[in-house]
Amino acid sequence: MRWVYASALSVLLVVELVGLGLFAKGFFPYKKSIPGFAGREDQPMDIGRGLNAPATAQHNNSGVSAEPQYDRLVLMVVDALRNDFVFGNESGMAYTQNLLRSGAALGFTAKAQAPTVTMPRIKALMTGTVPSFLDAVLNIAESDTSSSLKHQDNLLWQLKTHGGKEINMFGDDTWLRLFPDMFTRTDGTSSFYVADTVEVDTNVTRHVRPELERDDWGVVVLHYLGLDHIGHLAGPKSPLMRPKQREMDDIVRTVHEIVADQDRKRMAADAQAKPTLVVLLGDHAMNEIGNHGGNSQLETSTVFVFIGSGIAGQPMADHGRNALSKLLASNVQQSSLVSTLALLFGVPIPKNNLGLPLPELLGGYSDRERLHMLQTVSAQIYGLVRANENNAVAVDLQQIIANPAVYAKADCSHIDTAG
């Protein structure tokens, strides 16, 4: 009988080990990333120019062909900013809602992916990649440096290296751990003093006006933690929540007014100057009791609000109570931020990006420029596909030029290739 029990236990042990292996493979999937950093030489040939250019000229196109739309960026991250905190009827963010109603801002519900905690979400926002559950563990270790993005292609590196931007950061010190040596001026705050809902934000706000009124910055990152802390302490229906939303709304107003005034002066003095783009966003949202980390509808529904000169929103004839309710369902992927901002600022898209640009933000470009942008994003994502799939086959532009009938279904004759 002993051998029967031993055999049964052996079989159970093998089944358990196989199950554990399958779980680990699914929960921590191996994803091959492309090493190095994208450069302008990685940009594909402009298909619009290539189809109409002489054969000798078809290989001379490199770099980004479209002019940048903006030359300065303010990223205002409000931790755990759920979409109804901005777009809902009970929102305390009146100024932001007025910008959206008037068409001076564009708003979206930005869908985050689990794990909905800060470190993996910042990684996803700056690289365009899908986060790992291992990052949720590393998120707890404040001293951890293994998750640094110092050697991984990311939007901040591209803006600093190819865009020549000075980058400053104030707020959640997770940014300092992820991007060592990236920022010129910083003031980090720990995200783990959850009982603090006041000073953790005051420490950021005290830098807003002095920093933005300087003329030497290109990118400013502001990461506010107080709203997330209120959620953890008392939930989204806490009496502290609406006052905190009003506080964040006041910061949006201050940032918008400062950069708008500066833009008028800069662009009057310099014909080459471009306006400033302000992006209000959340890294993740929160559930009905104020927690996050999972993939429920509430935890993954955060926001993008784009504010700046050239933003072409749709003015809303109905300014009533439910005017912004449609934005609660206007879902886009959070990973879209990287490629969208890279194109708007004229820098290469990070190599491991998986996000598609938001077409609503590209209205300032010609049809042919948008075609080349889509071609650029397609080539970048295809490079990532080829790194992970050996059977992927590339289609060279010269094949399209030599065999136009084969690709006739991809008819682009309506595109204005003259520029």
Side-chain angles (χ1 to χ4, degrees):
M1 290 296 292
R2 282 186 174 182
W3 70 269
V4 175
Y5 288 120
S7 300
L9 287 175
S10 298
V11 170
L12 290 174
L13 180 60
V14 169
V15 170
E16 185 175 354
L17 291 174
V18 171
L20 183 61
L22 291 173
F23 170 80
K25 183 178 181 180
F27 205 69
F28 302 106
Y30 173 72
K31 294 175 293 184
K32 186 183 294 184
S33 61
I34 302 177
F37 297 82
R40 298 199 185 280
E41 67 279 2
D42 297 320
Q43 308 304 304
M45 184 191 308
D46 186 338
I47 191 172
R49 184 180 301 173
L51 289 172
N52 294 282
T56 56
Q58 287 170 358
H59 292 282
N60 295 328
N61 181 62
S62 64
V64 179
S65 61
E67 284 291 318
Q69 295 286 296
Y70 300 95
D71 60 15
R72 300 194 308 175
L73 173 67
V74 178
L75 282 177
M76 180 176 169
V77 184
V78 179
D79 213 280
L81 185 65
R82 206 166 68 190
N83 59 350
D84 58 313
F85 294 169
V86 180
F87 307 142
N89 292 333
E90 305 303 321
S91 170
M93 305 189 71
Y95 181 79
T96 304
Q97 288 199 343
N98 286 337
L99 291 176
L100 291 164
R101 288 191 180 98
S102 67
L106 266 174
F108 305 91
T109 288
K111 298 300 290 184
Q113 291 180 302
T116 47
V117 291
T118 296
M119 179 182 284
R121 294 321 315 152
I122 293 177
K123 277 189 169 185
L125 283 165
M126 292 296 102
T127 63
T129 59
V130 177
S132 165
F133 277 92
L134 182 60
D135 288 320
V137 178
L138 297 176
N139 185 72
I140 302 171
E142 290 197 74
S143 61
D144 174 70
T145 58
S146 63
S147 56
S148 165
L149 295 177
K150 185 175 183 177
H151 303 294
Q152 184 174 337
D153 203 356
N154 62 81
L155 181 64
L156 293 184
W157 189 92
Q158 293 294 343
L159 289 169
K160 184 175 184 177
T161 304
H162 291 290
K165 311 298 183 189
E166 177 181 287
I167 307 177
N168 305 313
M169 196 291 301
F170 307 95
D172 190 341
D173 61 5
T174 303
W175 291 83
L176 302 181
R177 287 182 280 139
L178 285 175
F179 304 100
D181 306 321
M182 180 65 68
F183 307 107
T184 303
R185 293 186 294 275
T186 66
D187 190 0
T189 55
S190 174
S191 59
F192 291 98
Y193 296 121
V194 179
D196 177 13
T197 65
V198 178
E199 293 301 321
V200 73
D201 286 345
T202 302
N203 195 55
V204 180
T205 301
R206 67 191 178 93
H207 293 287
V208 170
R209 188 171 293 276
E211 284 295 326
L212 294 184
E213 288 180 346
R214 297 173 64 123
D215 59 4
D216 60 350
W217 60 273
V219 179
V220 172
V221 178
L222 308 169
H223 192 138
Y224 286 91
L225 292 163
L227 186 140
D228 175 69
H229 290 184
I230 290 172
H232 285 300
L233 288 170
K237 298 187 183 300
S238 165
L240 298 174
M241 188 60 77
R242 277 178 62 84
K244 179 58 71 174
Q245 292 170 11
R246 287 195 290 268
E247 179 187 342
M248 295 298 98
D249 195 51
D250 287 341
I251 304 304
V252 173
R253 180 197 295 268
T254 299
V255 170
H256 185 213
E257 290 177 349
I258 291 174
V259 299
D261 181 62
Q262 284 185 331
D263 285 351
R264 283 191 293 270
K265 295 175 181 177
R266 290 189 311 111
M267 296 171 73
D270 181 4
Q272 301 300 315
K274 302 288 195 304
T276 303
L277 179 64
V278 179
V279 184
L280 169 68
L281 67 154
D283 51 349
H284 51 77
M286 66 174 70
N287 61 22
E288 65 278 359
I289 60 172
N291 293 328
H292 54 85
N295 64 348
S296 70
Q297 177 77 9
L298 292 176
E299 292 168 278
T300 59
S301 298
T302 183
V303 303
F304 286 154
V305 178
F306 297 89
I307 308 166
S309 176
I311 295 294
Q314 291 294 325
M316 300 178 186
D318 175 16
H319 284 201
R321 181 173 173 81
N322 297 312
L324 299 177
S325 59
K326 67 177 184 179
L327 298 181
L328 294 170
S330 61
N331 294 342
V332 299
Q333 291 300 312
Q334 213 179 35
S335 58
S336 297
L337 185 70
V338 168
S339 57
T340 301
L341 293 184
L343 294 174
L344 289 174
F345 282 83
V347 299
I349 300 169
K351 284 191 172 185
N352 294 290
N353 165 71
L354 289 169
L356 300 177
L358 300 173
E360 294 87 347
L361 273 296
L362 304 180
Y365 295 101
S366 69
D367 281 350
R368 205 193 80 180
E369 286 173 332
R370 288 197 296 274
L371 174 63
H372 187 220
M373 287 177 174
L374 293 176
Q375 180 194 359
T376 300
V377 176
S378 300
Q380 176 268 309
I381 293 178
Y382 188 70
L384 191 57
V385 171
R386 294 185 71 184
N388 285 273
E389 177 52 66
N390 295 329
N391 295 326
V393 179
V395 177
D396 193 285
L397 174 60
Q398 300 306 316
Q399 296 178 14
I400 301 177
I401 296 172
N403 304 286
V406 177
Y407 303 95
K409 291 184 179 180
D411 183 14
C412 297
S413 59
H414 66 287
I415 298 295
D416 175 16
T417 56

